[in-house]
Amino acid sequence: MKRTKVVDALACTDFGKDINVKGWVRSHRSSKAVDFIALNDGSTIKNIQIVVDPSKMDAEELKSITTGACISVVGTLVESQGKGQTSEIQCKEIEIYGLCPSDYPMQKKGQSFEYMRKYGHMRLRTNTFGAVFRIRHNMAIAIHRYFHEHGFYYFHTPLITGSDAEGAGNMFQVTTLDLDRIAKSGKVDYNADFFGKRTNLTVSGQLEGELGATSLGAIYTFGPTFRAENSNTPRHLAEFWMVEPEVAFIDKDELMDLEEDFIKYCVRWALDNCKDDLEFLNKMIDKELIARLEGVLKEDFVRLTYTEGIEILRKAVADGVKFEFPITGWGMDLSSEHERYLVEEHFRRPVIMTDYPSEIKSFYMKKNPDGKTMQGTDVLFPRIGEIIGGSVREENYDKLLAEIDSRGMKREVYDWYLDTRKYGTCPHGGFGLGFERLILFVTGMQNIRDVIPFARTPKNAEF
Ligand code: 4AD
Ligand code: MG
């Protein structure tokens, strides 16, 4: 008999029909007259109830079907008497695929996330992580649909690169050289390396994405990026996924419109397509979740310059607000507590912050005529802090070269990049959205390690 997915079995009203479902046991309750097995196959947050007549099964075998076991059930689909369920299965036959010994780490309900991270490979089978990763999938679909519908091309940029896209130097090196031998000899010969030069894992696909935008008009990348920053925080990963649209002929206002429209599309997609999972998370993880998602759709994002932001923070300090990192004044980099004060306390909605001091931002950003600030467009979100980093790019060859020089970066590494400005340069801009930060917002989860199946953080590369 062909298998029916649990999600379809629950939606089916063809009562009286025999079906086959397969999945993992969430719970097994026994009484003299009847056993109830809640079965889940990952297709939905919901379980289907299997009603078993114990007199028709071997008692020992039935007893052995505990939480976590994998079984196949043939039975009759009947209308459920239970509250909140449409259908259930009157069991005729059970085949056991895999029993689950009592040391199964996900046995008990209500374990802490920290505990579950220790068993990261097994936590995927829990309700919460099932919901999170179904939503993660849906957000990836939403991203592709948004850009496809808006005339952007999905553009693949390399993961192994010779350049440093952010100029920040926090890269993982890629090498085939024998590190033990180098340690003994003290000599490094990059010519002998696989690529014949020093290479690293990309920190951003932006620079290559700019090549795409200046040929295809509008592109987006969506892939893994890597940062060797020693940030052990609930918002940082060493390997995270980034979405980077890049658009020719876009100005700062249009770029902000794009950022806002794009995020709202993703949030709307989640509300429309992940209803059951969101309701589960709203009940179990964060009672404000759905209201917060709906709220974001209703409001315009605040558009605020960095200079105005600093003024608000200064005033907050004067009014007695205490920050761990002091507000030292114009030119300082904002930390996430400052960003979160602005979005959570002051405005109580997302903020697009613009016109940062050039010195605290990357080399490729277009400077304003004041020579001090640049046309950045970062989006700050409640609970998250920075969710998007974006800017209009410096399209002038001489200015870009001067910036590369003044920052002590190696010209020759950026030859190909400078060619975008040398040959038929155009005004353009784009942004990068941290995919996991979006998932954090949409799921209400607290820690970025819990919204990616296999988290990579300092001193942690298990599984
Ligand atoms: O602000 P960032 O560093 O910008 C760039 O990489 C640009 N090249 C993007 C562009 O304009 N094409 O990073 C962009 C976003 C951040 O706003 C944040 O959401 C996320 O990437 N991000 C991280 N997410 C998880 N872990 C980390 N270590 C992250 N670093 C940045
Ligand atoms: Mg940034």
Side-chain angles (χ1 to χ4, degrees):
M1 189 185 294
K2 197 167 169 262
R3 170 196 166 215
T4 303
K5 284 191 182 176
V6 169
V7 66
D8 299 325
L10 287 170
C12 182
T13 50
D14 202 357
F15 301 123
K17 181 178 138 184
D18 277 2
I19 62 167
N20 170 221
V21 290
K22 302 179 184 203
W24 292 268
V25 173
R26 284 283 194 256
S27 66
H28 181 174
R29 285 184 292 132
S30 302
S31 67
K32 265 199 189 127
V34 63
D35 276 39
F36 295 108
I37 295 175
L39 198 69
N40 187 280
D41 67 358
S43 60
T44 164
I45 187 79
K46 294 183 177 163
N47 306 324
I48 193 154
Q49 177 155 277
I50 315 293
V51 185
V52 188
D53 178 350
S55 67
K56 293 194 179 140
M57 253 192 96
D58 178 81
E60 280 307 305
E61 193 175 45
L62 183 59
K63 209 173 138 204
S64 74
I65 302 173
T66 53
T67 300
C70 186
I71 59 174
S72 170
V73 176
V74 173
T76 313
L77 192 75
V78 296
E79 195 164 4
S80 175
Q81 310 300 317
K83 231 177 54 194
Q85 300 163 33
T86 45
S87 53
E88 60 188 29
I89 294 174
Q90 290 284 353
C91 177
K92 289 186 168 170
E93 240 179 80
I94 296 184
E95 185 187 343
I96 297 171
Y97 285 143
L99 291 177
C100 192
S102 61
D103 61 351
Y104 177 47
M106 298 295 128
Q107 185 104 270
K108 278 204 206 113
K109 287 195 175 147
Q111 297 286 12
S112 72
F113 286 116
E114 209 176 329
Y115 169 88
M116 287 199 272
R117 258 173 246 139
K118 274 198 211 141
Y119 301 98
H121 55 310
M122 283 283 117
R123 68 180 182 165
L124 303 175
R125 293 216 198 144
T126 62
N127 281 332
T128 301
F129 287 97
V132 167
F133 295 126
R134 274 186 298 272
I135 293 173
R136 185 178 165 110
H137 157 81
N138 264 284
M139 289 295 90
I141 298 296
I143 285 163
H144 286 301
R145 282 184 74 117
Y146 179 85
F147 287 119
H148 183 67
E149 284 168 13
H150 289 78
F152 288 64
Y153 296 105
Y154 184 25
F155 189 70
H156 295 121
T157 51
L159 299 189
I160 300 176
T161 77
S163 57
D164 176 0
E166 291 301 299
N170 47 9
M171 299 169 301
F172 290 102
Q173 235 180 290
V174 175
T175 182
T176 51
L177 294 175
D178 183 337
L179 296 181
D180 292 336
R181 191 177 298 167
I182 291 170
K184 271 189 213 137
S185 70
K187 270 191 238 135
V188 185
D189 177 9
Y190 283 110
N191 284 323
D193 206 347
F194 187 91
F195 295 106
K197 66 174 189 177
R198 198 184 159 125
T199 53
N200 49 271
L201 292 176
T202 188
V203 293
S204 153
Q206 180 195 323
L207 303 193
E208 295 90 347
E210 289 187 33
L211 295 173
T214 53
S215 63
L216 301 173
I219 61 94
Y220 69 105
T221 73
F222 182 15
T225 44
F226 308 86
R227 296 197 184 175
E229 47 195 355
N230 201 6
S231 301
N232 234 326
T233 82
R235 313 264 173 271
H236 288 86
L237 289 166
E239 177 180 308
F240 65 99
W241 284 61
M242 190 153 43
V243 182
E244 295 187 272
E246 190 71 30
V247 192
F249 316 117
I250 199 168
D251 66 21
K252 192 176 84 181
D253 288 327
E254 291 166 329
L255 186 59
M256 289 192 280
D257 291 344
L258 178 67
E259 293 173 345
E260 183 167 343
D261 192 47
F262 167 61
I263 295 191
K264 284 182 172 172
Y265 180 98
C266 293
V267 171
R268 198 174 304 115
W269 183 273
L271 286 166
D272 291 347
N273 294 280
C274 308
K275 212 166 161 288
D276 291 346
D277 287 322
L278 286 178
E279 276 169 8
F280 172 83
L281 293 171
N282 197 81
K283 197 165 135 213
M284 306 303 290
I285 302 290
D286 177 352
K287 303 264 181 290
E288 312 280 306
L289 175 62
I290 293 179
R292 194 161 52 237
L293 298 181
E294 286 169 347
V296 160
L297 296 185
K298 288 191 204 119
E299 294 162 341
D300 291 337
F301 294 4
V302 175
R303 298 183 181 195
L304 181 81
T305 65
Y306 165 91
T307 306
E308 289 163 340
I310 290 286
E311 271 321 301
I312 293 169
L313 292 168
R314 267 202 185 124
K315 214 166 155 288
V317 173
D319 290 345
V321 176
K322 297 248 177 316
F323 292 115
E324 191 188 335
F325 295 102
I327 305 297
T328 51
W330 201 92
M332 66 175 283
D333 209 351
L334 299 183
S335 73
S336 81
E337 58 166 341
H338 306 138
E339 294 168 347
R340 289 180 65 174
Y341 174 82
L342 292 171
V343 288
E344 287 168 15
E345 310 285 331
H346 189 83
F347 291 109
R348 293 173 183 269
R349 58 192 160 121
V351 168
I352 308 186
M353 188 174 271
T354 63
D355 303 277
Y356 289 82
S358 301
E359 269 149 40
I360 59 170
K361 290 290 187 181
S362 295
F363 70 99
Y364 49 70
M365 298 187 180
K366 186 176 174 67
K367 277 199 181 140
N368 283 316
D370 66 9
K372 276 166 46 191
T373 57
M374 43 55 77
Q375 297 189 21
T377 55
D378 286 6
V379 181
L380 314 179
F381 246 57
R383 296 182 72 256
I384 307 295
E386 185 192 317
I387 194 164
I388 276 182
S391 78
V392 176
R393 317 304 185 194
E394 180 54 73
E395 85 269 21
N396 180 286
Y397 179 88
D398 295 323
K399 287 185 186 165
L400 186 59
L401 189 62
E403 196 62 35
I404 286 175
D405 287 346
S406 77
R407 290 179 187 233
M409 295 162 67
K410 285 187 187 141
R411 269 182 192 210
E412 60 279 13
V413 174
Y414 297 93
D415 267 358
W416 58 272
Y417 180 63
L418 283 157
D419 280 353
T420 53
R421 278 57 172 181
K422 191 168 168 192
Y423 304 113
T425 191
C426 75
H428 64 284
F431 64 82
L433 167 114
F435 186 51
E436 285 75 19
R437 292 193 186 178
L438 175 70
I439 310 297
L440 272 181
F441 182 72
V442 173
T443 57
M445 299 291 281
Q446 301 273 355
N447 194 314
I448 201 161
R449 294 165 177 80
D450 298 330
V451 296
I452 186 164
F454 306 99
R456 297 286 176 263
T457 50
K459 303 277 181 283
N460 174 30
E462 266 184 79
F463 319 119

